[in-house]
Amino acid sequence: MSDPALYPYFLGPYGENDGLLEQLLVEFLRDHVYWRRNLHPEDPPAIPTMARYRPDYQAFESRLRQQLHQLSAALKRSVPFHSQRYLGHMVSDLLLPGLAAQILTLPYNPNNVSEEAAPVTLDMEREAGMQLAAMVGYAVDPRQVPCAFGHLTSGGTSANLQALRLALSVKCYPVALRAAGLPGVELPGSDAEAFMLPMEQAIALFCAAEAWLAGQSPRERRIWRRRIDAERVEHLGLAGFLAAHPRLQTPVVLAPATAHYSWSKGMKLLGLGRAHLVQVAERDMRLDLDDLERRLADCAARGQPVLMAVGVLGSTEFGTIDPIDGLCEARDRWAARGLGFAVHVDAAWGGYLLSLLRNEDGTLRAADAVGREFERFPRPEVHAAMAAVARSDSVTIDPHKLGYLPYGAGAFLCRDRRPMELLAEFADYVFADSSALPGSRLQHLGRYEIEGSNPGAIAAAVCVTHRVLPLDAKHFGRIQAATLSATEAFEDLLTEWAPRLRERFAVVVPFRPDCNLLCIAINPAGNADIGRCNDFMQRLRRRLSIDPAAPKADRSFFGSTTTLRGEAMGQEAMAALLRRLGLEPPADAEDLESTRLTVLRHTLMNPFLLDEVNGINYLQRYLAWLEMILPEVECEWSSATATGSGVH
Ligand SMILES: *Cc1c(COP(=O)(O)O)cnc(C)c1O
């Protein structure tokens, strides 16, 4: 079951590919030095060869070495993300192409804020964006409209913020056009109507206005542009913009209850306020389309504008996949009824799973073709949700999660690049040259991105990785396939394991995994109290979590926990789960809603969990180890809780 194609992909759990990495690093460090020497070979060395014999040189070197040794020693206390024993958070080994490309690029230190500071890696960032856009199914031919666009960010948080910013900009623009009284373009009849336009119509209006402006004399164009800009939310601020249009309300963002906290951060940063982040109920840990529908109907009835509906592809805590297809259908249906909003897919975690859905020529693989390799993946609704990402308005994907690349690599993608111009930091977004394609001036990325200076080395890492391992099922998809197979194997192991423990522990998988995250709930037999069960799990967690002070070898395995919440699971599902665990569900509906249950959370990202070379199944070993420590933890727990000194 382990895939030999993956052997050269990583440094390896044992550092197996050290020879390759070392060779590459030495080769390209030398190459960099030759580049320095050959820029102007007539310039002599400024640092004399004999400098190294100077006492101050030697003192410096000794201090440097001492500090590096200290750092290197301290780093041994790092979390062993590369190990098959690490089943905790969303990180694993790093792909060799990315690691090598990043280290190779570092001494050149390109800054992707603009082409001037990054003649090479800025193009690579644009390429990486388009590679990801093609993977999600967006159209990427710049001769066509719409054509997608993508750029890298520091992470998913910043990409989500960029999505909010773009949607807000597009939403407010038609209102600004009305306020400016732009002639020559057919404008919506009222502010409310302008504010409720579907994304596509708002973008069309923006393009029509730009086309009209392009036909004016430079002087006229300047005047009109100044008038429009004076009415834009970017100029007035959200408070000023709404004050200027008293009939408009702050738009809301609809997101599932377990959405990542970056959404709350984004609402605060944009001045939308957390009160306008509306939690859509979940059913079985996935966004509940019925509740979404109710909330949209409520917004429509109250004239409440909606900025965006967020769907999550691979939730941070549970790996569950929201019905993106249903979200896009809701958007289209409500657009026809005059309630326009954007659909954003937060695929920070699950984005790269989409590589499994692509053939080498970029076409979509049908569910049965994808499923041939697996026992259960992808369930039909999961395939439908993943295929529908192509119909969303924007997407967040983190190369530093399932892309196996170093931290500092997120990505923002949008299906239509034209409105990106609204984010430009200077308002000279003129399509004056009619041969210039919309969005063709996106080379000054720093004017559109939230970040200013940002590392070109990361862009090189992402782009080179995607070139070596194209984002299709034959290449990058193989890594994802290995992790999904491991998850299915883990599920199978659990169905044998749980009954064996029944006498002493109730073990339940609380919901079917959609991808490669799997949670397990455990309760000591005979315990009916939820609080005591959580206390037990906290004690178990301590055996699995990183102790910053301790050497790492004292942990046999590394895991993490999370909390299931009644409001996210739904009351019925929560009550059923509690009963299966032998726990007493609260009689009161309100109490059931607010029930919190701690569970083990396993991120199965390591591609070598099923090591057939040595005949080791690390998941089996993990369960054997759990089986060994569970009675110990129970012993500690029952004596502590009997004397009333529970952990809190
Ligand atoms: C990780 C994650 C984020 C935040 O991304 P960062 O890279 O940590 O900023 C947002 N949404 C989801 C679903 C995530 O998993």
Side-chain angles (χ1 to χ4, degrees):
M1 254 193 281
S2 55
D3 182 353
L6 304 184
Y7 291 164
Y9 283 21
F10 300 91
L11 178 54
Y14 194 76
E16 293 88 335
N17 291 318
D18 61 335
L20 175 57
L21 182 61
E22 193 174 308
Q23 225 174 16
L24 293 173
L25 295 186
V26 171
E27 187 176 328
F28 290 105
L29 174 64
R30 288 187 182 148
D31 207 45
H32 173 79
V33 171
Y34 299 148
W35 176 69
R36 292 191 174 201
R37 290 181 186 169
N38 289 320
L39 183 65
H40 275 283
E42 69 276 20
D43 294 346
I47 302 166
T49 320
M50 301 300 273
R52 71 177 65 142
Y53 299 109
R54 292 171 55 93
D56 48 356
Y57 189 110
Q58 287 168 0
F60 176 88
E61 182 178 329
S62 119
R63 276 212 310 280
L64 170 63
R65 282 183 183 278
Q66 194 187 2
Q67 286 307 318
L68 290 181
H69 278 294
Q70 273 185 25
L71 171 66
S72 181
L75 285 171
K76 302 303 174 289
R77 286 190 279 114
S78 297
V79 185
F81 295 136
H82 60 275
S83 169
Q84 303 102 321
R85 293 169 178 273
Y86 185 79
L87 311 171
H89 296 285
M90 308 172 126
V91 48
S92 180
D93 206 352
L94 296 172
L95 281 167
L96 267 190
L99 188 58
Q102 186 176 10
I103 298 176
L104 189 169
T105 311
L106 278 175
Y108 297 87
N109 197 26
N111 178 356
N112 272 23
V113 70
S114 75
E115 208 143 43
E116 222 170 62
V120 180
T121 51
L122 198 107
D123 275 342
M124 298 183 89
E125 174 165 350
R126 292 156 61 85
E127 185 177 331
M130 295 313 266
Q131 289 160 333
L132 289 167
M135 175 178 72
V136 310
Y138 285 164
V140 292
D141 181 351
R143 289 162 307 183
Q144 282 177 6
V145 174
C147 171
F149 183 71
H151 64 73
L152 300 180
T153 62
S154 61
T157 300
S158 169
N160 284 343
L161 179 59
Q162 183 78 328
L164 279 176
R165 200 162 80 106
L166 180 63
L168 186 64
S169 207
V170 172
K171 189 161 209 50
C172 294
Y173 197 76
V175 178
L177 284 182
R178 268 180 53 81
L182 194 77
V185 183
E186 198 185 325
L187 295 170
S190 70
D191 281 354
E193 199 187 315
F195 210 43
M196 295 278 193
L197 282 185
M199 283 288 273
E200 272 171 25
Q201 288 178 31
I203 293 171
L205 204 54
F206 162 65
C207 293
E210 285 301 313
W212 183 83
L213 286 169
Q216 305 306 304
S217 70
R219 185 171 168 276
E220 280 290 297
R221 186 156 59 232
R222 234 181 357 257
I223 293 170
W224 277 110
R225 200 174 286 292
R226 225 176 280 139
R227 278 192 204 160
I228 300 169
D229 282 345
E231 301 293 343
R232 289 183 56 191
V233 67
E234 284 81 355
H235 179 76
L236 296 168
L238 189 58
F241 180 83
L242 291 173
H245 308 281
R247 308 192 71 136
L248 301 182
Q249 303 173 44
T250 308
V252 294
V253 172
L254 302 171
T258 60
H260 190 267
Y261 58 77
S262 51
W263 290 103
S264 154
K265 285 188 191 173
M267 297 300 284
K268 291 193 278 181
L269 274 169
L270 284 181
L272 287 160
R274 239 178 3 210
H276 297 93
L277 181 61
V278 176
Q279 293 199 347
V280 181
E282 296 183 25
R283 195 190 295 156
D284 214 10
M285 314 310 289
R286 296 153 189 94
L287 181 128
D288 180 356
L289 287 173
D290 294 336
D291 192 58
L292 177 78
E293 197 63 21
R294 275 193 294 277
R295 288 179 190 276
L296 288 171
D298 180 51
C299 288
R302 289 188 292 116
Q304 164 67 59
V306 179
L307 182 61
M308 170 187 280
V310 178
V312 182
L313 191 94
S315 60
T316 317
E317 297 296 342
F318 314 108
T320 41
I321 292 177
D322 286 334
I324 309 300
D325 45 336
L327 266 179
C328 292
E329 278 152 28
R331 174 199 59 195
D332 298 343
R333 223 167 344 94
W334 283 99
R337 292 193 227 163
L339 181 71
F341 57 89
V343 166
H344 178 81
V345 180
D346 185 355
W349 168 249
Y352 276 87
L353 291 168
L354 292 166
S355 59
L356 276 170
L357 262 65
R358 291 285 147 212
N359 289 309
E360 270 177 289
D361 64 1
T363 52
L364 184 74
R365 297 176 81 215
D368 55 343
V370 179
R372 223 161 279 150
E373 281 178 73
F374 306 102
E375 283 176 47
R376 292 173 286 275
F377 181 85
R379 282 182 293 107
E381 61 271 34
V382 166
H383 183 271
M386 289 170 78
V389 179
R391 286 153 56 202
S392 66
D393 297 286
S394 51
V395 182
T396 291
I397 297 185
D398 271 356
H400 65 207
K401 284 182 178 165
L402 272 181
Y404 297 84
L405 286 160
Y407 280 118
F412 167 78
L413 317 172
C414 55
R415 190 181 43 173
D416 188 340
R417 59 172 53 188
R418 293 172 297 172
M420 285 298 290
E421 292 294 346
L422 287 173
L423 298 184
E425 200 42 47
F426 305 104
D428 59 343
Y429 45 86
V430 199
F431 303 147
D433 173 7
S434 58
S435 68
L437 292 154
S440 62
R441 299 165 346 95
L442 287 165
Q443 59 266 54
H444 300 289
L445 276 180
R447 290 169 41 186
Y448 302 88
E449 296 181 354
I450 290 167
E451 290 87 357
S453 298
N454 69 91
I458 297 271
V462 180
C463 180
V464 165
T465 301
H466 294 170
R467 285 182 189 169
V468 176
L469 292 171
L471 301 176
D472 58 48
K474 270 234 176 80
H475 299 92
F476 213 103
R478 298 188 83 127
I479 310 171
Q480 314 296 332
T483 72
L484 291 167
S485 295
T487 311
E488 294 192 334
F490 195 35
E491 275 185 278
D492 293 343
L493 284 172
L494 282 167
T495 48
E496 292 165 25
W497 190 70
R500 269 223 323 277
L501 268 67
R502 194 156 35 202
E503 297 281 292
R504 296 192 68 176
F505 300 95
V507 177
V508 175
V509 176
F511 51 90
R512 293 159 305 173
D514 282 341
C515 57
N516 43 18
L517 244 81
L518 193 142
C519 294
I520 306 179
I522 305 178
N523 182 39
N527 173 49
D529 183 78
I530 299 169
R532 286 194 74 212
C533 176
N534 286 338
D535 180 90
F536 173 78
M537 292 301 283
Q538 289 302 334
R539 287 169 194 279
L540 181 57
R541 183 182 62 90
R542 288 205 215 131
R543 302 287 188 108
L544 280 158
S545 65
I546 301 292
D547 176 354
K552 296 302 166 265
D554 79 331
R555 287 279 181 276
S556 293
F557 285 88
F558 303 85
S560 64
T561 56
T562 186
T563 307
L564 295 180
R565 299 188 287 154
E567 69 260 30
M569 285 202 72
Q571 293 181 15
E572 268 170 51
M574 180 53 103
L577 171 64
L578 294 175
R579 270 187 229 105
R580 284 176 71 196
L581 286 164
L583 294 166
E584 185 83 49
D588 183 70
E590 182 106 347
D591 290 344
L592 197 51
E593 265 291 298
S594 56
T595 297
R596 300 278 179 274
L597 187 71
T598 307
V599 297
L600 293 178
R601 164 180 175 267
H602 308 90
T603 310
L604 304 180
M605 216 181 138
N606 191 293
F608 303 109
L609 289 170
L610 311 176
D611 169 4
E612 289 196 331
V613 177
N614 302 295
I616 302 174
N617 180 334
Y618 282 89
L619 297 168
Q620 201 162 23
R621 288 208 174 173
Y622 168 65
L623 290 181
W625 174 77
L626 262 190
E627 194 168 340
M628 191 183 76
I629 64 159
L630 276 173
E632 290 172 28
V633 176
E634 189 202 17
C635 203
E636 176 196 311
W637 165 79
S638 57
S639 55
T641 46
T643 57
S645 60
V647 261
H648 297 287

